[in-house]
Amino acid sequence: MRKDQQLVETFVCGYNRVVNGSFRICDWPDVTERRLPAVEAIAKDNQSRTLAVEHTLMQPYAGEKEDTNKFRQVFCSLESDQSLRLDGYDIQLWPPVGAIPKGISWRNARETIEFWLRRNRKNFPAGTSVQRVLGLNFELSMFVKKEPHSEGSLTVGRSTVPNTLKEVISTALDRKLRKLVATNADKRILLLEMEIPIDEQIIAQTLESLSGSFTDLKNIDEIWVVDTFLWERTGTCWFKKVWLDGVSTIFEMFAPSGSSELPVFVKGRELILS
């Protein structure tokens, strides 16, 4: 099964939990229908109602793929080194997008950052601070968040994402809405995949600001964002409903990337709208 198909199947599994549904995917039209543009999946429930799901992976800024590769090689491997964890604390590292310049040895950068972290992690102040990494042959400062944690943990993310989200979402809507609206189904859902965490409230506000430019949005029943930032490393992904009515539902699924095991619903919640 392709990665995008696994993600859609995971979504449908969790969606059933939050809406008390019984949908099961019965067709992958973009595979079976080659003559015309087709949506990714069609699901059917026990009452024969149909659900059309169209998925798209969004690149939040130019060069995101290359930067993600650098980030994974230099920073993500730090998470798996348990000797870097600090008992009693969760430490989060948030380097900026583009933290590793071109022409830099990724291995040397990783080893220098590891050495710096090992020497300084006990001295990080509680809460969020900005810390400069010493010993590199380029400038690097990052947000560091240190909070109490019973077991001790270390996680990494990226900050300072370029403000091109509106253009990115516009491109996705332009590519996906028409064929989703043209699909004969009782309900139509657009699933936007983000490999970099972006505040779901900002995504919802961006969609609302674009509603006047994309009249087909009124024919879409729901838009969800799936955050796959940790998916390949931990098997966890978050799904967040962002359309209509802003952010209203969030649920977490465990489904290791590439696994044939059934997805596991971890937790979910309805948000109270003001």
Side-chain angles (χ1 to χ4, degrees), residues 180-230:
L180 183 55
V181 169
T183 302
N184 184 20
D186 295 302
K187 180 175 283 190
R188 302 175 182 90
I189 292 178
L190 180 61
L191 183 62
L192 307 175
E193 180 184 350
M194 294 281 196
E195 291 185 325
I196 292 181
I198 296 178
D199 190 290
E200 57 271 13
Q201 297 287 354
I202 295 176
I203 296 174
Q205 293 165 7
T206 303
L207 284 166
E208 182 63 33
S209 72
L210 290 169
S211 59
S213 303
F214 292 90
T215 56
D216 275 341
L217 271 174
K218 67 179 182 295
N219 298 313
I220 301 299
D221 296 282
E222 298 174 12
I223 298 178
W224 289 72
V225 170
V226 53
D227 176 359
T228 57
F229 169 64
L230 294 174

Side-chain angles (χ1 to χ4, degrees), residues 6-7 9-11 13-14 17 226-227 230-239 251-267:
Q6 184 189 4
L7 199 60
E9 193 167 75
T10 300
F11 167 73
C13 180
R17 286 290 299 269
V226 53
D227 176 359
L230 294 174
W231 189 30
E232 291 189 1
R233 285 181 280 155
T234 68
T236 300
C237 46
W238 284 89
F239 295 88
F251 64 88
E252 179 185 357
M253 298 293 290
F254 178 75
S257 179
S259 172
S260 59
E261 299 293 325
L262 289 175
V264 176
F265 184 88
V266 179
K267 58 185 175 181

Side-chain angles (χ1 to χ4, degrees), residues 2-9 28 30 40 55 193:
R2 298 181 335 212
K3 176 184 173 182
D4 54 339
Q5 290 178 334
Q6 184 189 4
L7 199 60
V8 170
E9 193 167 75
W28 300 98
D30 70 336
E40 187 135 14
H55 159 274
E193 180 184 350

Side-chain angles (χ1 to χ4, degrees), residues 62-197:
E64 187 270 335
K65 284 297 182 184
E66 180 183 359
D67 189 62
T68 294
N69 194 22
K70 292 180 183 179
F71 173 76
R72 286 175 173 165
Q73 293 294 324
V74 175
F75 292 99
C76 291
S77 58
L78 299 172
E79 288 185 340
S80 59
D81 187 344
Q82 296 196 7
S83 69
L84 291 174
R85 299 179 184 181
L86 184 61
D87 288 343
Y89 290 95
D90 170 44
I91 295 179
Q92 300 176 25
L93 306 178
W94 293 88
V97 164
I100 309 301
K102 291 184 178 181
I104 296 296
S105 167
W106 299 357
R107 179 178 178 179
N108 289 345
R110 195 263 186 212
E111 291 176 349
T112 300
I113 294 168
E114 176 189 337
F115 179 76
W116 167 83
L117 178 60
R118 197 179 300 278
R119 290 192 62 185
N120 293 279
R121 66 193 192 283
K122 292 182 179 179
N123 299 321
F124 293 151
T128 302
S129 61
V130 177
Q131 301 291 328
R132 182 185 175 193
V133 181
L134 301 178
L136 295 167
N137 56 354
F138 59 94
E139 291 291 323
L140 174 60
S141 295
M142 68 177 98
F143 290 106
V144 175
K145 190 173 184 180
K146 181 179 178 182
E147 295 180 328
H149 189 281
S150 58
E151 299 176 0
S153 64
L154 175 65
T155 55
V156 297
R158 274 178 290 185
S159 64
T160 323
V161 177
N163 187 22
T164 57
L165 185 63
K166 189 170 185 177
E167 291 82 354
V168 168
I169 293 180
S170 294
T171 299
L173 296 179
D174 191 53
R175 291 174 50 237
K176 299 294 184 175
L177 280 184
R178 189 174 295 114
K179 67 176 176 179
L180 183 55
V181 169
T183 302
N184 184 20
D186 295 302
K187 180 175 283 190
R188 302 175 182 90
I189 292 178
L190 180 61
L191 183 62
L192 307 175
E193 180 184 350
M194 294 281 196
E195 291 185 325
I196 292 181

Side-chain angles (χ1 to χ4, degrees), residues 41-59:
I42 298 291
K44 186 177 291 187
D45 70 2
N46 293 339
Q47 284 79 47
S48 294
R49 292 175 297 193
T50 51
L51 174 70
V53 181
E54 176 65 0
H55 159 274
T56 185
L57 173 62
M58 299 204 298
Q59 188 175 4

